[in-house]
Amino acid sequence: MKKTENRNFIELVSELLASVEEVASLAKESESEREIFSEFARLLYKLVPILSEIKDNKDVMDTATIRKAIESLEKELRRAKTLIKSPDSKQPNIWIEDVIQDLGRSIGLVLFASIDLHLDMKEKIGSLHKEFMNAKFDASLTPSPCPSASPSHESEFVSATASEKEIEEEGIEIVEGRTEIEEERSNLTIDDVVLQFKYGNDEELNFALLSFNESIRQGLITNEWINEEGIIPIIVNRLASCKPNNRLIILRILRNLALENAVNKEKMADAASLSALVKSLTRDVEERREAVGLLLDLSDLPAVWRRLGRIQGCIVMLVTMLNGDDPIASDNAGKLLNALSSNTQNALHMAEAGYFKPLVHYLDEGSDMTKILMATAMSRMELTDQSRASLGEDGAIEPLVRLFNAGKLEAKLSALNALQNLSNLSDNIQRLISSGIVVSLLQLLFSVTSVLMTLREPASAILARIAQSESVLVNKDVAQQMLSLLNLSSPVIQYHLLQALNSIAGHSSASKVRRKMKENGAIQLLLPFLTENNVKIRTGALNLLYTLSKYLPEDLTEQLGEIHLNTIVNIISSSPLESDKAAAIGILSNIPIGNKKVTEVLKKANLLPILISIMNSSPSTLTSTWQWLAEGVAGILIQFTVPSDKRLQLLAVENEVIPLLVKLLSNGSLAAKSLAATSLAQLSQNSLSQRKSKKSSWFCVPPSTTAFCEVHDGYCFVKSTFCLVKAGAIPPLIQILEGKDREADEAVLTAISTLLQDEIWENGSNYIAKLSGVQAIIKVLESTTVKAQEKALWILERVFKVEEHRVKYGESAQVVLIDLAQNGDPKLKSSTAKLLAQLELLQLQSSYF
């Protein structure tokens, strides 16, 4: 075996682990006294995880003291190996107990030499040390006869005698090893300690620290000597340059010294010492824990509060530890932050680091100037939503509202700006409403006092945010008050008021509010804003008019003159903002179907080519705004495809609306798909009358065979007969039915049903079956609306008139139909029964009719 000094630390521990395995294996294989040797082996195996952890922590553990302790353990194992191979004349339980306790002493030596070990490792080693030292082996359970000294055992006796001598020599070496560390420490003079504190390498510093620590414990060093020699600044200075194990010892020594007297604390309270201690807050778990504990011990000195707050990163690290996983460090960090928060500047630094309780405390209980300071700081902070939530939960809103209501101009302004910052989070809006601030904000907006004018903009911004909550409606007449302010306010306030009104008008429970808005002339008031040069104000007015058009379409249409309609078309064609285009298109799409006067104005304004151009330039990634715009376009096209006006339909088709509608069936939103299907259904209603018969004499040149339509039994062309078959619309319509969403079913089924008109129902049935549409229609019956189910039953009734389809799909349909007959809506009872009779599952004279 190599000498200890020639082996690296990994080799040393690895060989020790191998020795443990070897000795334990020898013990288990012993033929005699199996119970005792098995217990011996069990205890030996407990060394393995301890040694493995020591090996894994090489950077901390590879010191001269640890090496000597391991060498002592190694010698004990060699002695144990010799004893197992050559048992002496004693009973095995006696010498095994002796060996185990000697091993326990060696483990204790490891513990003694490792003051810088992690706490959990020390606990494990300490526990094993106790177990080894308390181990007892009962001879009565494992009796063993003494070997005789007969000639046949002479050589064994000689071997045993030789072993005893060897064991005795090794025992002496182990005792020497145990005392060597003690001697090296005790041989250090006080002057040596100071020199090694100042100039020693890490090993020398380690010995000096351990010696110093032991001397303090024994009362050999006084506080007077520590102060005279300047020990505290010396070891604090070493924190910056020594290894982690020594830093940990230094911090523990400093904590003990700080607890001794106030003079020692003062020595650690200068800016340089505190900066060195703060750096330890950024290191490993144990060092952070010791450092924050020491800083907490020092925090009863007022100078420490001021200086710590100025050290870069200190408060940030303390807040991080407060929110960390170490409960001891978190608790101490919280106490230290609480102590530091007695300084208002520190409270602001804590808020910037995400710890807001001290700031909220000052808002609630500070002086008037302190409250203004805190509110102003909050208004300027770049808050995340999480920070806004924390401030709301910590109670920041109520004292800010009190400051706004009771304070002077500067207090009001700082409070409003802070509340504006907090109002960006929806959870805080309810807190604002509950505080009763809405009435105060409206009063402020109506105020004509010049000194309060600067407060009106943040007040209107907060109202715009508050209006996002439906709870704002508890304040009666709030919308009417805002409307009355529109023409009396600056552009910024107008914009915020329009935002607020749009939110209020959009709430589902605001029907009474919308009616009052209409009665008070909201639409007439808003229409002039469509020509506003200020883009934000025009956008706000557009959005509000769009919201009102969804709920009050007839009232809006009455107010829209030709000038207003042309203005809206101009916004659609020229606005650079996609959202403005979408809102303007949305307003037009909400105009009731069949208003010929409006449609004529829009036709003259060339709206159709404008819409087609916009849709043909759709982005590769479809945004929510684009989907909103597409839904509006699909809604407008319904007005241009009404079946009663074939000329209008022809105009729409000449402007390429059919390819656009078919495209929307695939890539539009569900609402857009439904609207597109409605337009296609309207066009398809006239396809039969527009078709060209096979015998027609109108063709100058005979049409190609591809122009022949198998459904309409004639020649069809997309631009003249509006044929869904030739347009390729049926496959995407069926695909919608096959999907999971059911909102478009009725419109889709209406479009498909146009292929089943009386003259062409059989051709249409065959075509639908050919495209696998029948199964999709059966599936829809299971979970759609009653109106869509009615459409589906009507279609299936025609399809199942064809025997081939009845045979092929009847079985899959009957399960759904029987369930529908038993559990479906009563309105469907008659048509369901007819279909079941058609499938010969119910007699025609059944009571279902």
Side-chain angles (χ1 to χ4, degrees):
M1 188 178 287
K2 299 177 187 177
K3 289 186 177 180
T4 304
E5 59 270 18
N6 295 331
R7 288 178 285 171
N8 65 40
F9 189 74
I10 298 295
E11 284 181 326
L12 184 66
V13 182
S14 297
E15 289 176 10
L16 184 58
L17 278 164
S19 295
V20 171
E21 295 282 355
E22 183 184 7
V23 174
S25 180
L26 284 171
K28 285 175 71 177
E29 291 170 3
S30 175
E31 293 296 326
S32 62
E33 315 297 349
R34 287 188 177 180
E35 289 186 28
I36 262 192
F37 280 108
S38 293
E39 178 63 14
F40 180 44
R42 186 188 69 79
L43 288 171
L44 287 178
Y45 280 128
K46 290 196 172 186
L47 283 168
V48 173
I50 297 294
L51 294 173
S52 296
E53 281 204 66
I54 291 172
K55 181 180 173 183
D56 292 341
N57 287 274
K58 169 184 170 292
D59 293 340
V60 176
M61 303 298 294
D62 188 7
T63 66
T65 52
I66 295 292
R67 281 174 170 263
K68 285 172 183 172
I70 287 175
E71 186 180 5
S72 173
L73 195 58
E74 194 174 41
K75 288 175 181 178
E76 292 285 8
L77 283 169
R78 282 205 303 274
R79 185 164 75 98
K81 179 180 173 183
T82 304
L83 284 167
I84 292 170
K85 285 184 174 181
S86 307
D88 60 17
S89 58
K90 297 177 184 178
Q91 287 185 325
N93 64 295
I94 295 174
W95 66 256
I96 287 177
E97 188 174 300
D98 184 50
V99 167
I100 284 292
Q101 290 183 358
D102 279 345
L103 284 168
R105 292 185 187 95
S106 296
I107 295 167
L109 184 59
V110 174
L111 184 64
F112 178 69
S114 308
I115 193 170
D116 45 348
L117 267 177
H118 288 297
L119 185 60
D120 57 342
M121 283 182 66
K122 285 197 290 186
E123 286 176 355
K124 289 176 185 176
I125 295 172
S127 176
L128 191 60
H129 167 67
K130 286 179 183 177
E131 186 174 359
F132 273 41
M133 294 305 295
N134 295 327
K136 300 292 180 187
F137 290 83
D138 192 345
S140 63
L141 294 176
T142 55
S144 177
C146 296
S148 66
S150 64
S152 61
H153 295 101
E154 187 175 348
S155 60
E156 186 179 338
F157 179 78
V158 171
S159 174
T161 305
S163 296
E164 286 178 9
K165 186 176 181 181
E166 182 183 336
I167 290 164
E168 186 178 345
E169 289 172 356
E170 287 202 357
I172 293 167
E173 287 183 29
I174 291 166
V175 173
E176 289 174 356
R178 288 180 186 146
T179 58
E180 192 174 339
I181 297 168
E182 295 275 5
E183 289 172 358
E184 287 191 41
R185 290 180 183 172
S186 61
N187 286 339
L188 287 174
T189 66
I190 288 178
D191 291 337
D192 291 334
V193 167
V194 176
L195 282 172
Q196 289 182 6
F197 278 174
K198 290 181 178 178
Y199 310 113
N201 60 29
D202 271 290
E203 290 297 331
E204 292 165 341
L205 176 60
N206 185 265
F207 270 109
L209 289 169
L210 295 174
S211 176
F212 180 73
N213 202 34
E214 185 62 22
S215 298
I216 291 176
R217 192 180 67 81
Q218 295 179 10
L220 302 176
I221 293 177
T222 63
N223 282 310
E224 289 75 14
W225 179 85
I226 290 171
N227 289 325
E228 286 171 8
E229 294 292 332
I231 296 296
I232 289 174
I234 292 171
I235 61 174
V236 167
N237 189 52
R238 287 305 300 265
L239 282 172
S241 60
C242 64
K243 285 186 177 180
N245 56 335
N246 285 333
R247 288 201 300 268
L248 198 57
I249 299 170
I250 290 171
L251 289 169
R252 286 171 178 165
I253 289 172
L254 290 173
R255 287 196 74 178
N256 288 333
L257 293 176
L259 294 173
E260 286 288 326
N261 58 56
V263 176
N264 289 345
K265 285 186 180 182
E266 293 286 354
K267 299 288 183 184
M268 304 175 207
D270 62 281
S273 297
L274 292 173
S275 295
L277 295 175
V278 166
K279 285 180 182 176
S280 286
L281 296 177
T282 65
R283 297 188 172 114
D284 68 31
V285 175
E286 282 202 83
E287 188 170 339
R288 288 202 304 268
R289 189 186 299 163
E290 293 296 337
V292 74
L294 175 55
L295 289 172
L296 179 60
D297 294 339
L298 302 177
S299 65
D300 56 358
L301 301 176
V304 171
W305 304 343
R306 295 190 301 273
R307 289 168 187 160
L308 275 180
R310 296 191 193 114
I311 297 172
Q312 188 173 9
C314 175
I315 286 176
V316 172
M317 282 308 304
L318 289 173
V319 172
T320 302
M321 292 173 74
L322 175 69
N323 299 321
D325 298 329
D326 184 338
I328 297 172
S330 175
D331 184 59
N332 285 339
K335 291 174 181 175
L336 183 53
L337 286 167
N338 186 55
L340 297 179
S341 68
S342 58
N343 180 293
T344 55
Q345 203 60 42
N346 287 344
L348 292 175
H349 289 318
M350 290 174 199
E352 288 165 359
Y355 180 56
F356 301 105
K357 286 183 178 178
L359 180 146
V360 174
H361 171 76
Y362 281 117
L363 273 175
D364 202 23
E365 299 183 15
S367 65
D368 289 346
M369 283 310 298
T370 300
K371 289 176 181 177
I372 292 170
L373 174 67
M374 297 297 154
T376 303
M378 193 188 302
S379 69
R380 293 172 181 170
M381 287 178 188
E382 294 290 333
L383 296 175
T384 63
D385 282 349
Q386 186 177 352
S387 298
R388 292 187 180 97
S390 294
L391 280 161
E393 290 163 6
D394 289 343
I397 288 174
E398 291 78 5
L400 284 170
V401 171
R402 289 198 299 271
L403 185 62
F404 165 68
N405 286 330
K408 295 181 180 177
L409 179 62
E410 186 182 8
K412 288 181 183 294
L413 184 60
S414 62
L416 273 183
N417 287 331
L419 288 169
Q420 185 179 351
N421 200 351
L422 293 180
S423 68
N424 283 318
L425 183 73
S426 56
D427 287 350
N428 286 336
I429 290 173
Q430 188 56 51
R431 295 184 177 103
L432 282 165
I433 294 170
S434 300
S435 74
I437 198 173
V438 174
V439 174
S440 302
L441 294 174
L442 285 169
Q443 288 173 348
L444 178 59
L445 291 177
F446 277 106
S447 172
V448 292
T449 307
S450 58
V451 292
L452 297 178
M453 296 301 280
T454 53
L455 304 177
R456 298 179 75 202
E457 287 187 9
S460 63
I462 294 169
L463 275 174
R465 301 261 164 69
I466 289 175
Q468 293 171 10
S469 169
E470 206 150 348
S471 300
V472 74
L473 298 176
V474 300
N475 297 275
K476 293 182 179 180
D477 298 327
V478 64
Q480 282 62 48
Q481 288 177 293
M482 290 182 185
L483 276 172
S484 65
L485 285 165
L486 264 181
N487 285 325
L488 305 173
S489 304
S490 67
V492 173
I493 296 172
Q494 283 179 324
Y495 172 64
H496 289 313
L497 289 173
L498 287 166
Q499 280 186 309
L501 286 165
N502 186 41
S503 295
I504 291 170
H507 291 315
S508 58
S509 60
S511 56
K512 290 182 180 179
V513 175
R514 288 189 290 268
R515 189 174 67 247
K516 280 191 176 181
M517 288 174 72
K518 179 201 73 173
E519 291 169 357
N520 290 333
I523 295 170
Q524 299 96 311
L525 183 67
L526 291 169
L527 287 172
F529 285 108
L530 294 180
T531 56
E532 173 64 54
N533 291 326
N534 186 304
V535 176
K536 282 190 171 184
I537 293 175
R538 188 181 69 191
T539 296
L542 266 174
N543 289 333
L544 179 51
L545 281 167
Y546 167 71
T547 299
L548 292 173
S549 75
K550 288 194 296 182
Y551 297 99
L552 306 166
E554 292 85 2
D555 298 291
L556 177 67
T557 305
E558 287 176 10
Q559 302 293 329
L560 285 176
E562 185 172 350
I563 294 174
H564 299 129
L565 290 168
N566 285 324
T567 300
I568 292 171
V569 173
N570 186 52
I571 291 171
I572 294 169
S573 63
S574 61
S575 175
L577 298 176
E578 195 175 86
S579 58
D580 279 9
K581 290 179 187 287
I585 289 170
I587 291 169
L588 297 181
S589 73
N590 288 327
I591 291 172
I593 304 298
N595 190 312
K596 293 183 178 180
K597 183 180 176 183
V598 170
T599 305
E600 189 62 31
V601 173
L602 298 178
K603 187 171 75 172
K604 285 181 182 178
N606 288 316
L607 177 63
L608 278 177
I610 293 169
L611 295 180
I612 301 301
S613 174
I614 290 171
M615 294 302 293
N616 286 339
S617 59
S618 62
S620 55
T621 303
L622 301 180
T623 63
S624 57
T625 303
W626 181 264
Q627 294 286 20
W628 173 30
L629 184 150
E631 289 168 15
V633 170
I636 291 173
L637 293 181
I638 293 175
Q639 300 179 38
F640 282 87
T641 56
V642 288
S644 59
D645 193 336
K646 292 181 182 178
R647 287 186 178 181
L648 191 60
Q649 283 190 332
L650 187 60
L651 174 68
V653 172
E654 285 172 350
N655 278 282
E656 303 289 341
V657 299
I658 289 182
L660 170 60
L661 292 168
V662 173
K663 185 179 178 182
L664 284 173
L665 292 178
S666 298
N667 64 10
S669 67
L670 204 59
K673 288 175 180 178
S674 179
L675 294 166
T678 299
S679 286
L680 288 168
Q682 292 185 157
L683 290 165
S684 183
Q685 285 179 44
N686 289 325
S687 292
L688 190 59
S689 62
Q690 299 284 89
R691 70 178 174 175
K692 301 293 186 289
S693 169
K694 284 192 276 186
K695 300 176 181 179
S696 176
S697 59
W698 288 95
F699 298 113
C700 296
V701 179
S704 68
T705 54
T706 57
F708 183 75
C709 177
E710 60 187 285
V711 174
H712 295 111
D713 196 25
Y715 294 104
C716 284
F717 306 91
V718 173
K719 286 194 174 182
S720 59
T721 65
F722 324 142
C723 176
L724 299 190
V725 176
K726 293 302 178 184
I730 304 303
L733 286 169
I734 291 172
Q735 195 171 17
I736 294 170
L737 296 180
E738 292 171 337
K740 294 179 180 178
D741 298 309
R742 305 270 61 94
E743 287 86 342
D745 286 351
E746 185 184 351
V748 168
L749 290 167
T750 300
I752 291 174
S753 69
T754 61
L755 303 186
L756 299 169
Q757 295 175 55
D758 291 343
E759 293 179 42
I760 57 171
W761 68 266
E762 189 169 356
N763 292 342
S765 297
N766 292 335
Y767 185 72
I768 293 167
K770 176 181 171 183
L771 296 181
S772 303
V774 179
Q775 198 60 50
I777 294 167
I778 293 170
K779 177 192 169 189
V780 162
L781 279 174
E782 296 177 12
S783 59
T784 191
T785 63
V786 174
K787 287 187 177 180
Q789 286 174 324
E790 285 178 321
K791 290 282 182 188
L793 289 169
W794 184 89
I795 292 170
L796 289 174
E797 184 185 351
R798 299 219 155 190
V799 170
F800 286 159
K801 284 180 181 180
V802 180
E803 185 178 359
E804 179 187 349
H805 306 325
R806 195 164 60 244
V807 170
K808 185 174 181 180
Y809 299 106
E811 189 175 345
S812 62
Q814 70 181 38
V815 177
V816 179
L817 291 170
I818 290 170
D819 181 67
L820 199 61
Q822 293 172 344
N823 305 309
D825 191 282
K827 293 178 184 176
L828 306 174
K829 205 170 187 182
S830 176
S831 52
T832 305
K834 284 180 182 178
L835 204 49
L836 285 168
Q838 203 174 344
L839 295 173
E840 299 179 353
L841 294 169
L842 194 70
Q843 298 210 357
L844 285 173
Q845 56 267 46
S846 167
S847 61
Y848 270 90
F849 299 105

